[in-house]
Amino acid sequence: MTNPLLSDWNTPFSLAPFDAISDDDFAPALDEALAAHNAEIDSIAANPEPPNFANTIEAMEAAGEGLDKVLSVFFTIAGADSNPAREALQRDFSPKLAAHFSAISSNKALFRRVAAVWDARDSADLTEEQQRVLMLTHRGFVRAGASLKGQDDARMQAIMGRLAELGTAFTQNLLSDERDWFMPLQEDDLEGLPAFVVDAARAAGAEKNAGGPVVTLSRSLIVPFLQFSPRRDLREAAFNAWAARGANDGETDNRAITAEILALRAERATLLGYDSFADYKLETEMAGTPAAVRDLLMAVWEPAKARAEADAKILTDMMHADGVNGDLAPWDWRYYAEKRRKAEHDLDEAALKPYLQLDRMIEASFACANRLFNLEFKALDVPLYHDDCRAWEVTRDGKHVAVFIGDYFARGSKRSGAWCSAMRSQAKFPQEQTPVVINVCNFAKGDPALLSYDDARTLFHEFGHALHQMLSNVTYDSISGTSVARDFVELPSQLYEHWLEVPEVLAEFATHAETGEAMPQDMLDKVLGAANFDMGFQTVEYVASALVDLAFHEGAAPSDTMAKQAEVLEELGMPSAITMRHATPQFAHVFSGDGYSAAYYSYMWSEVMDADAFEAFEEAGSAFDPATAKSLEENILSTGGSVEAEDLYKRFRGRLPGVEALLKGRGLAA
């Protein structure tokens, strides 16, 4: 029987035939796809013709199509719908894939051809995009260790293989802790909780077969529980379990893994001739150096900390007024902040939530994309990997642009957080292909599903990433969509969040789940007026995480990552009632892979730009100004990594922004 992963996909839009794929198909498909890719690479490396862009760089771009198909399906479901079989496959695949790609990057014959094309670049008749792809390819080989020889070469390959194993183990340990822990609630434990939290707790209990409502470690449930439960003892138990993910001793403990990862990264940087892993990592980012990152973070830290400390005094007074003595604790902050928000802004999230229906917020994100970029969305009836998923065809002026898949609900088989990925990227070479883009979130189920304002912002954020993929218009897959500098990739996503706060968008799409009535104007005013509420807390928990990440990678690798984390936080004067957004044992951005290692700051670097970029629309007089939207698409969303990020931003805005726009946007400006 033919393996569906290796067959031509004669399906609508050549989507993966999820209904025909079983877990048993993955291992043989991967082995065959790896062998085919190896044969393609060997053929390129052994080509007797003199190396040129077409027979070397473009040949590499065209290679590996079968492998891409297998991996796109596997990693999509491994992250969003895992099971023991898929977790075992991932543990097996990670070192195989690391060895495979390390072997390519250390292939001396292949690198000689790439280097020859690079050396002859000035005399070659290449387009600007081809010159960019050549530079990135050559730089990628060098940074992967292609110039290393002998023992150094072998050691680099061993390091990359071990890092792949450790990243997979970190992810699976965290998923296990998040999946296995829950706290049963008695009926009287539900007192004081809004209906939407009770409904979510009952739904979680049903999924866990717990015989009643439970609190889980899904952010969409535990955060509102911490906001609304008047039971301090239950808040403390839930918070401590949430904070202990990845640090519970036993087989799922991540602390030793983080130390080994950091040591291997430091060794990798040394082999490549860098002073630290941060120096290595930041060389290709907009920031450029660890010093530049630290300057940005510290410029934000001080005003954020001052705001948080002032807020802590107010919340402590509120707690004491409730008859609770002692210091404000991390499990108290959200509860009293919610009470304060209700008192100061007369904004009750329990009253707000019915106006933020998931389906209407999806409509809102689509409608904004239509007004800005003339995109149309039509629901598709196609097999997907889980019943929760849904799909849409994206068109413009009747022409197919992309397929968009949304997987919105939390479940035990899905890792936490929210993300966007492309199961197929846009490209024109070796043939025209349109993107298949997926947004994965972890919202609480309900009938209808209701979002918090933060959830709605997450939906818009991930859809901003999706637009970056869908509107891509480049020739080569390797520079398509979000294949840009890490501290630029968050610009489109964070910028798109701004459209959720456009009054006319909320007025049209924030309609009550039961009555269908639009959000009242006074509530809308309160929502927008409270946009920066508790921003000291939000900024401190984020910047602390970014500074710990930077410290981990700047100098010698710490042998005890928890001691290093504590040292950094003490030096910063971290407020005692606030914790890092992601403590080290659960810091998946940094330890599940290299993506955000030494680069968690990038959200804030991008925010400096997104605050300034939205001002371009405000200066034009409308959040939907056609000329500004066209410039945004032409200069940023469609260009992928075809041009340096700094140059792209300057084309759009005429200059680079300063940190003032960010401080103003967060309400932290003096």
Side-chain angles (χ1 to χ4, degrees):
M1 185 174 178
T2 303
N3 190 318
L5 288 163
L6 300 170
S7 307
D8 290 334
W9 292 346
N10 297 313
T11 54
F13 311 107
S14 298
L15 294 174
F18 286 107
D19 55 343
I21 297 169
S22 76
D23 289 344
D24 292 337
D25 293 322
F26 286 113
L30 180 67
D31 288 342
E32 190 167 331
L34 287 173
H37 193 213
N38 278 330
E40 291 171 320
I41 293 298
D42 289 344
S43 177
I44 297 167
N47 189 340
E49 297 293 323
N52 58 40
F53 188 84
N55 67 22
T56 303
I57 308 302
E58 283 191 331
M60 291 169 60
E61 289 278 334
E65 180 184 359
L67 182 59
D68 288 343
K69 288 171 64 176
V70 174
L71 296 182
S72 71
V73 176
F74 177 73
F75 283 113
T76 293
I77 65 171
D81 191 26
S82 191
N83 61 31
R86 292 166 190 169
E87 290 178 10
L89 286 169
Q90 195 168 5
R91 289 191 295 271
D92 181 47
F93 288 0
S94 292
K96 276 187 180 180
L97 291 168
H100 174 75
F101 290 111
S102 290
I104 292 173
S105 62
S106 61
N107 185 316
K108 305 307 181 187
L110 184 63
F111 180 55
R112 282 195 294 272
R113 293 186 67 85
V114 172
V117 181
W118 172 249
D119 290 342
R121 63 191 181 279
D122 292 338
S123 59
D125 186 19
L126 301 179
T127 66
E128 288 186 13
E129 189 175 334
Q130 288 173 333
Q131 292 172 23
R132 176 74 173 169
V133 170
L134 172 58
M135 185 279 290
L136 292 172
T137 303
H138 180 263
R139 186 176 75 181
F141 269 87
V142 172
R143 285 172 55 81
S147 299
L148 298 177
K149 298 177 182 178
Q151 290 183 343
D152 287 350
D153 185 20
R155 180 58 185 155
M156 179 63 77
Q157 294 193 53
I159 287 172
M160 298 310 293
R162 181 60 178 158
L163 283 171
E165 292 176 358
L166 293 169
T168 298
F170 183 97
T171 302
Q172 293 188 353
N173 289 345
L174 184 56
L175 176 61
S176 179
D177 279 4
E178 291 173 343
R179 179 179 56 215
D180 293 347
W181 186 91
F182 62 88
M183 182 173 68
L185 299 175
Q186 304 304 315
E187 288 301 313
D188 59 355
D189 296 337
L190 303 175
E191 292 180 11
L193 295 176
F196 75 86
V197 181
V198 174
D199 291 345
R202 293 193 191 283
E207 187 196 5
K208 299 291 186 186
N209 295 314
V214 302
V215 175
T216 69
L217 298 181
S218 168
R219 183 176 286 269
S220 62
L221 177 51
I222 195 167
V223 168
F225 182 80
L226 293 170
Q227 281 179 292
F228 292 105
S229 175
R231 288 281 301 278
R232 193 180 192 226
D233 58 330
L234 297 181
R235 295 200 311 267
E236 180 178 3
F239 182 89
N240 284 337
W242 195 31
R245 290 169 296 152
N248 286 305
D249 298 318
E251 293 183 356
T252 63
D253 198 297
N254 276 332
R255 286 171 287 191
I257 289 175
T258 62
E260 187 177 355
I261 287 174
L262 293 177
L264 290 171
R265 285 176 181 162
E267 185 181 358
R268 177 182 169 195
T270 299
L271 284 171
L272 294 170
Y274 293 87
D275 291 338
S276 71
F277 185 81
D279 287 298
Y280 162 76
K281 185 64 178 286
L282 296 171
E283 179 185 51
T284 60
E285 306 300 330
M286 288 185 74
T289 66
V293 172
R294 186 170 294 281
D295 286 347
L296 168 69
L297 294 174
M298 293 309 298
V300 179
W301 173 258
E302 293 302 336
K305 179 185 171 187
R307 175 67 57 81
E309 288 175 336
D311 290 342
K313 292 177 182 178
I314 295 171
L315 301 184
T316 300
D317 289 344
M318 293 173 65
M319 185 177 76
H320 291 169
D322 274 354
V324 181
N325 296 319
D327 296 331
L328 188 74
W331 47 88
D332 297 317
W333 190 293
R334 289 175 175 84
Y335 178 70
Y336 286 101
E338 180 62 29
K339 291 182 73 170
R340 180 187 176 194
R341 181 171 73 156
K342 187 174 181 180
E344 293 186 1
H345 296 276
D346 194 21
L347 185 60
D348 180 356
E349 182 150 322
L352 172 64
K353 255 201 164 184
Y355 290 97
L356 299 175
Q357 300 174 69
L358 171 62
D359 286 349
R360 299 255 43 207
M361 291 299 101
I362 294 171
E363 288 179 45
S365 67
F366 289 176
C368 291
N370 174 258
R371 291 184 65 180
L372 289 164
F373 310 115
N374 197 28
L375 297 177
E376 301 278 354
F377 298 82
K378 180 182 178 182
L380 292 173
D381 183 12
V382 293
L384 298 167
Y385 62 86
H386 194 280
D387 290 343
D388 286 346
C389 299
R390 41 186 139 165
W392 293 265
E393 181 189 9
V394 186
T395 60
R396 178 152 61 181
D397 299 326
K399 182 181 178 182
H400 176 77
V401 172
V403 170
F404 174 66
I405 299 170
D407 179 2
Y408 295 108
F409 295 124
R411 52 180 176 267
S413 62
K414 183 189 289 187
R415 64 180 171 89
S416 61
W419 63 92
C420 173
S421 58
M423 296 191 68
R424 182 176 67 228
S425 296
Q426 176 273 331
K428 300 173 186 175
F429 177 89
Q431 65 272 327
E432 191 93 19
Q433 65 183 39
T434 54
V436 177
V437 187
I438 181 167
N439 276 178
V440 183
C441 300
N442 270 282
F443 304 141
K445 270 191 175 180
D447 187 20
L450 304 177
L451 305 182
S452 67
Y453 197 71
D454 189 52
D455 287 339
R457 190 159 41 227
T458 295
L459 187 147
F460 268 70
H461 177 102
E462 298 306 333
F463 194 70
H465 281 308
L467 288 172
H468 202 180
Q469 296 278 14
M470 291 188 285
L471 292 172
S472 178
N473 184 25
V474 298
T475 303
Y476 300 102
D477 187 307
S478 64
I479 55 168
S480 178
T482 56
S483 298
V484 299
R486 179 63 60 180
D487 49 12
F488 191 69
V489 76
E490 297 297 336
L491 169 61
S493 54
Q494 292 178 185
L495 175 59
Y496 204 64
E497 293 178 31
H498 288 271
W499 274 272
L500 175 62
E501 298 180 352
V502 173
E504 62 191 278
V505 174
L506 284 172
E508 180 175 359
F509 293 99
T511 56
H512 198 279
E514 295 178 5
T515 67
E517 295 292 321
M519 184 184 291
Q521 185 62 46
D522 65 332
M523 181 179 283
L524 177 59
D525 292 342
K526 292 169 189 173
V527 168
L528 297 176
N532 284 323
F533 178 76
D534 212 22
M535 193 54 74
F537 171 90
Q538 295 178 42
T539 307
V540 161
E541 64 165 5
Y542 166 78
V543 175
S545 297
L547 285 166
V548 168
D549 168 43
L550 185 64
F552 277 158
H553 295 96
E554 267 190 297
S559 58
D560 184 337
T561 54
M562 300 308 291
K564 182 65 174 179
Q565 172 185 298
E567 175 190 319
V568 173
L569 297 181
E570 184 176 1
E571 289 177 355
L572 289 171
M574 182 76 168
S576 60
I578 305 178
T579 59
M580 292 166 62
R581 181 171 299 178
H582 305 290
T584 298
Q586 66 229 209
F587 209 162
H589 281 80
V590 171
F591 293 108
S592 286
D594 270 359
Y596 284 89
S597 56
Y600 191 62
Y601 78 91
S602 59
Y603 289 93
M604 187 147 282
W605 192 273
S606 293
E607 189 178 340
V608 171
M609 290 180 286
D610 87 62
D612 178 70
F614 193 70
E615 284 187 356
F617 286 89
E618 294 174 330
E619 291 165 6
S622 169
F624 296 99
D625 178 67
T628 310
K630 182 179 180 182
S631 177
L632 177 64
E633 179 179 352
E634 289 180 347
N635 292 310
I636 293 177
L637 296 177
S638 70
T639 50
S642 62
V643 178
E644 286 288 349
E646 182 173 321
D647 294 334
L648 290 176
Y649 193 83
K650 287 178 179 177
R651 290 181 187 180
F652 172 63
R653 202 68 171 104
R655 50 161 176 75
L656 289 176
V659 73
E660 296 78 14
L662 179 147
L663 293 174
K664 177 184 174 185
R666 286 190 170 232
L668 299 174

